[in-house]
Amino acid sequence: GRYHGGDGVVREIEPLRPLVMSILSERRTLSPYGMEGGDDGMTGRNFIVKKNKEKDGCQEYLVNIGGRCSGKIHVGERLRIETPGGGGYGIPNSEKDSKETIKDAMVRPTDSSTIFYPHASGSLAEYNSTQNTA
């Protein structure tokens, strides 16, 4: 979109001893949607990174575990979580607009009468708001 969505984050967790892990995540099948003509964001992915014991060297392979999973993870394996990116906002007006960053979106007007102000929303924003007004 005119203002691109956020990038996802990659996290890898490696246990120091065998354990049972559980993951409950969203946006692994359906993309985060764009608004006002912006493109959808990328979906997230969850993997177990395993070592190939049959081959020489340090080759690894990924096992997609989906969005909701519970199972054992062993020492030497890693849980890799790739969070989804955000959807874009607005239709690009030009080549230059499609390359703007989210920082630009915070300070540049979208047209002569409107300014785009990003704002926090959701449970954490509501919690912070109540803490700041007390």
Side-chain angles (χ1 to χ4, degrees), residues 64-119:
N64 190 334
I65 59 172
R68 294 167 183 84
C69 179
S70 185
K72 293 181 182 180
I73 184 168
H74 303 283
V75 175
E77 297 178 342
R78 297 186 311 274
L79 172 62
R80 180 180 176 99
I81 303 168
E82 299 177 1
T83 64
Y89 178 84
I91 299 171
N93 291 335
S94 67
E95 181 70 23
K96 180 180 174 287
D97 284 345
S98 65
K99 294 181 181 177
E100 287 183 336
T101 64
I102 190 66
K103 181 179 175 188
D104 295 330
M106 292 180 191
V107 297
R108 291 188 182 182
T110 56
D111 61 32
S112 60
S113 63
T114 307
I115 297 178
F116 175 71
Y117 293 103
H119 65 280

Side-chain angles (χ1 to χ4, degrees), residues 23-26 28-29 46 64-69:
I23 188 161
L24 177 62
S25 56
E26 293 291 331
R28 294 329 193 238
T29 304
N46 302 322
N64 190 334
I65 59 172
R68 294 167 183 84
C69 179

